[in-house]
Amino acid sequence: MRQAPVRHVSRVFAVVLLLLLQSCGQKADFSRAALPIGNVDLPQPKTEVAEPFQVSGWAAAHEPLLAAAIYIDSQFVTAVPVAIARPDVAAAKPEYKNAVNSGFGVMIDPATLAPGWHEIVVQARTASGAVRDLATVPILVRR
């Protein structure tokens, strides 16, 4: 289970974001960017799946979050908004303004995956371009 391609995708995303900002005449200032924090609640590591399953968790940052990006086997699957109410996170992390609506979730259909082991990576992305892998979760697809 290699993660180099995912890191490469993160770097590519940052470069593309920088180029887009520059083409609009704006300068990207990553010096104040703080990494987001978060967790993946589902699926649990080494879960066996045969039916659609949920990828969910939370992400918080000191600035707006763009999305939680879901990758399977280093391939982008989808990006989902970070906007579901999470009062548990708000209580545990009151220093983050967006903690109250820090949840995310999406259903994934394993029919699109070959039987066997796969690796899910969830990344949180902030508006300034800071990216953090929240978790790497191995799952086993069964038929």
Side-chain angles (χ1 to χ4, degrees):
M1 294 185 203
R2 300 179 326 192
Q3 289 199 12
V6 174
R7 287 189 192 109
H8 175 72
V9 169
S10 297
R11 286 187 205 118
V12 169
F13 177 80
V15 168
V16 169
L17 177 64
L18 182 62
L19 291 173
L20 284 171
L21 289 171
Q22 288 175 346
S23 70
C24 297
Q26 298 181 20
K27 293 183 180 178
D29 180 9
F30 294 108
S31 65
R32 289 184 248 179
L35 290 174
I37 63 167
N39 187 56
V40 175
D41 300 324
L42 294 173
Q44 292 293 313
K46 300 183 181 176
T47 295
E48 293 186 21
V49 297
E51 302 291 327
F53 62 95
Q54 186 174 20
V55 175
S56 63
W58 63 272
H62 292 295
E63 63 178 297
L65 285 161
L66 294 179
I70 314 298
Y71 295 83
I72 298 179
D73 299 332
S74 301
Q75 298 297 311
F76 177 78
V77 175
T78 189
V80 296
V82 178
I84 298 172
R86 289 293 301 254
D88 58 324
V89 177
K93 303 288 184 186
E95 66 274 21
Y96 291 91
K97 292 179 187 176
N98 64 348
V100 70
N101 292 315
S102 60
F104 63 85
V106 64
M107 295 299 291
I108 303 291
D109 186 355
T112 62
L113 303 171
W117 287 100
H118 296 274
E119 180 181 76
I120 299 170
V121 173
V122 179
Q123 291 182 335
R125 300 175 186 274
T126 68
S128 70
V131 178
R132 172 173 273 169
D133 289 2
L134 300 181
T136 300
V137 182
I139 60 164
L140 179 59
V141 173
R142 297 264 190 206
R143 297 277 188 255

